[in-house]
Amino acid sequence: MVNKIIVPFDDQEGGVYELNVDLDRLSKGEMLNAIIGIGRTKEQSTFVSKINKAKKPEEIAPFPGREVRENQINYGKGFDYVYGTKPVSDQEDKNPFASALKKIKPSEGESETLSWFKSEVVEAKNVNELHKVIDKVLASGGRLNACNDGEWSFAEYVILGTHFHKFDKADRKKLIRKLMLNGAEFHDTLLENKLIGEIYNELQPEVQPQIDERLEELEKAGESAVQEGELIDIEIDNTTSYIEFSGDSKVEVAKILRELGSNILKIGNDAVEVKSEKGGIRNYTDMSDGRSIILEFPTSVGKLNIILYHDVEKYDQVQVRVENKEMWAELQKIGEEVGKNCLFGGVKLKEAVERGSFTRCGIWSEKHAIKEISNDEVLSSWVNRVCGGSKETFREL
């Protein structure tokens, strides 16, 4: 006898549904295969068996059958009601093989944006609409692999969507190719599906060389920027790059930021987010929690150190302090602009210094949605890093 429970849930229109869950499979971590039936409560005999109703071998586990589709999904919660949440045992923060960039949880703002895009995946009426959703995510710079614990990433959500909307292999392949070319990764549970795994394996020989070429270009840029220390790791996810250096590194940041997008620069246990913007502007938007860095700027009267550190009472603020106030006063007197190509939370250095802080607006900016990772900076505040153009340098305090 199957050890099972029935889990009720409702949709936004008042409809009530029930999931028939196999507890034995659930206890083994088989989240997707544990759902053995789904239907409306007022239709007691309409549970759909994935085992009995499955017709094509390529559509068997980990996906439920086509019959769960019509009128049996809660659009407020999306595919999680049908496909379950990501297996706990393989969540990124518990997986030693997960990428460092993927371990950085999305901020509250990023989570909300990705949720909207996920809802569009659910509502897509055809493959062209789904292509448009992906294009919007790519244009927005959203991370394809970012997700909180128990959630599917946007890229994984698209995979579930191709199954839910019953697209044919050719259409699925075009969608998956587009994701993979922009750094998308997929959970093993999804790749265990025969059709998805087959498409993924067919695309790898085509896609991987193109990804490798992007990584090699970024690696060359990173190595050319290193004045001291060494480059350790490079990762990409859409327009976001993650570049890690050894703790004793000194790096010229401007040499790394060649493309528009977000860059997570890590040195030792500290990290900073720098957004590369039009006109060669480097916008320092965020830094990993509990860190202090020194940004060193060359000037006509010597090197000026700017200290950045978190405000323990105002989590959303990064404090900005000039180490040598006499030098700063002299520079202001002669009208010399320091950090000409740099912004701090979108404002000029002079304004940030006068305010005493700038508002965090990056990847770690909302505390409750963030999990801090060990990060280091390539700027001058964490072990001597340099930022290019104006040659800002960072070192660790």
Side-chain angles (χ1 to χ4, degrees):
M1 177 180 292
V2 177
N3 180 21
K4 64 182 181 181
I5 60 170
I6 295 176
V7 181
F9 63 91
D10 56 7
D11 63 14
Q12 295 176 332
E13 278 140 21
V16 181
Y17 306 92
E18 292 180 342
L19 290 180
N20 204 341
V21 181
D22 186 327
L23 292 177
D24 292 329
R25 293 182 181 179
L26 189 64
S27 67
K28 296 177 182 178
E30 300 177 11
M31 300 295 293
L32 302 183
N33 290 330
I35 303 174
I36 58 178
I38 183 171
R40 288 181 179 272
T41 56
K42 65 181 181 181
E43 300 170 355
Q44 297 297 327
S45 61
T46 61
F47 279 107
V48 178
S49 169
K50 293 191 298 181
I51 299 174
N52 298 330
K53 297 291 183 69
K55 297 174 182 174
K56 296 182 180 180
E58 65 268 21
E59 300 298 346
I60 296 177
F63 301 99
R66 165 76 179 258
E67 293 83 354
V68 303
R69 178 181 178 184
E70 298 300 334
N71 300 319
Q72 295 181 350
I73 182 169
N74 183 317
Y75 280 78
K77 292 293 185 179
F79 294 142
D80 290 342
Y81 271 137
V82 177
Y83 298 106
T85 56
K86 187 176 292 187
V88 175
S89 60
D90 292 319
Q91 287 172 8
E92 282 69 28
D93 60 338
K94 301 177 179 65
N95 183 356
F97 301 105
S99 71
L101 181 55
K102 198 170 184 178
K103 287 182 179 180
I104 302 177
K105 304 302 180 186
S107 67
E108 182 182 28
E110 187 177 14
S111 292
E112 290 177 356
T113 300
L114 291 173
S115 292
W116 277 108
F117 287 131
K118 287 179 181 179
S119 70
E120 292 189 17
V121 172
V122 176
E123 296 168 356
K125 296 181 177 62
N126 53 57
V127 67
N128 288 333
E129 288 190 4
L130 193 48
H131 270 291
K132 290 179 181 178
V133 177
I134 296 175
D135 290 341
K136 284 193 285 186
V137 174
L138 296 178
S140 74
R143 288 186 290 156
L144 302 177
N145 303 316
C147 57
N148 289 305
D149 291 340
E151 293 181 350
W152 299 103
S153 68
F154 173 79
E156 293 166 336
Y157 223 70
V158 172
I159 297 295
L160 297 176
T162 63
H163 178 85
F164 180 76
H165 296 300
K166 209 66 178 181
F167 295 146
D168 62 28
K169 180 178 178 179
D171 286 336
R172 295 191 194 196
K173 193 169 186 177
K174 291 177 182 177
L175 291 162
I176 295 173
R177 176 190 288 112
K178 183 179 289 187
L179 293 170
M180 291 175 65
L181 284 172
N182 288 279
E185 301 173 357
F186 309 110
H187 193 276
D188 289 344
T189 302
L190 303 180
L191 298 179
E192 288 170 1
N193 174 269
K194 182 178 178 181
L195 180 57
I196 299 302
E198 183 178 288
I199 292 173
Y200 181 83
N201 290 333
E202 289 175 1
L203 288 173
Q204 271 293 95
E206 172 194 344
V207 171
Q208 195 58 51
Q210 297 181 62
I211 294 294
D212 289 342
E213 183 177 353
R214 285 184 61 188
L215 292 172
E216 287 173 6
E217 291 178 358
L218 192 56
E219 181 179 9
K220 289 179 181 178
E223 289 178 342
S224 70
V226 176
Q227 297 181 351
E228 297 175 11
E230 61 179 337
L231 178 66
I232 294 177
D233 188 25
I234 293 177
E235 299 174 13
I236 56 173
D237 183 342
N238 194 8
T239 60
T240 298
S241 65
Y242 171 91
I243 309 172
E244 181 178 356
F245 300 86
S246 59
D248 58 347
S249 294
K250 181 176 182 179
V251 180
E252 188 173 340
V253 177
K255 289 187 176 181
I256 304 172
L257 312 187
R258 295 186 173 183
E259 298 181 359
L260 299 182
S262 177
N263 304 270
I264 310 300
L265 307 178
K266 176 184 177 184
I267 293 182
N269 293 317
D270 302 311
V272 65
E273 180 179 21
V274 188
K275 291 188 177 180
S276 181
E277 302 178 352
K278 292 181 180 180
I281 298 298
R282 298 178 296 282
N283 188 5
Y284 292 84
T285 58
D286 214 342
M287 53 193 288
S288 54
D289 296 351
R291 304 298 175 185
S292 299
I293 64 172
I294 297 177
L295 182 58
E296 183 182 274
F297 292 90
T299 74
S300 61
V301 295
K303 293 181 178 179
L304 177 71
N305 290 337
I306 302 293
I307 300 174
L308 306 180
Y309 61 96
H310 280 152
D311 188 324
V312 294
E313 295 181 353
K314 297 179 180 179
Y315 184 86
D316 66 335
Q317 297 294 305
V318 173
Q319 296 296 306
V320 182
R321 181 165 63 86
V322 178
E323 188 174 62
N324 189 326
K325 295 182 179 180
E326 291 76 17
M327 182 183 293
W328 174 261
E330 182 178 351
L331 291 166
Q332 299 308 299
K333 185 176 181 179
I334 64 177
E336 180 174 336
E337 182 179 3
V338 180
K340 183 177 180 180
N341 296 321
C342 296
L343 297 177
F344 296 83
V347 303
K348 289 282 191 178
L349 176 60
K350 180 180 179 181
E351 182 177 347
V353 170
E354 290 174 348
R355 289 181 180 178
S357 68
F358 68 87
T359 300
R360 302 174 72 185
C361 53
I363 202 164
W364 295 284
S365 58
E366 290 93 2
K367 184 175 183 179
H368 64 277
I370 295 166
K371 180 179 173 104
E372 181 187 352
I373 64 169
S374 178
N375 291 355
D376 298 308
E377 222 309 52
V378 171
L379 306 182
S380 139
S381 147
W382 321 336
V383 194
N384 288 337
R385 297 35 138 204
V386 189
C387 201
S390 59
K391 306 276 185 186
E392 321 94 89
T393 303
F394 295 83
R395 69 174 180 275
E396 207 163 27
L397 286 175

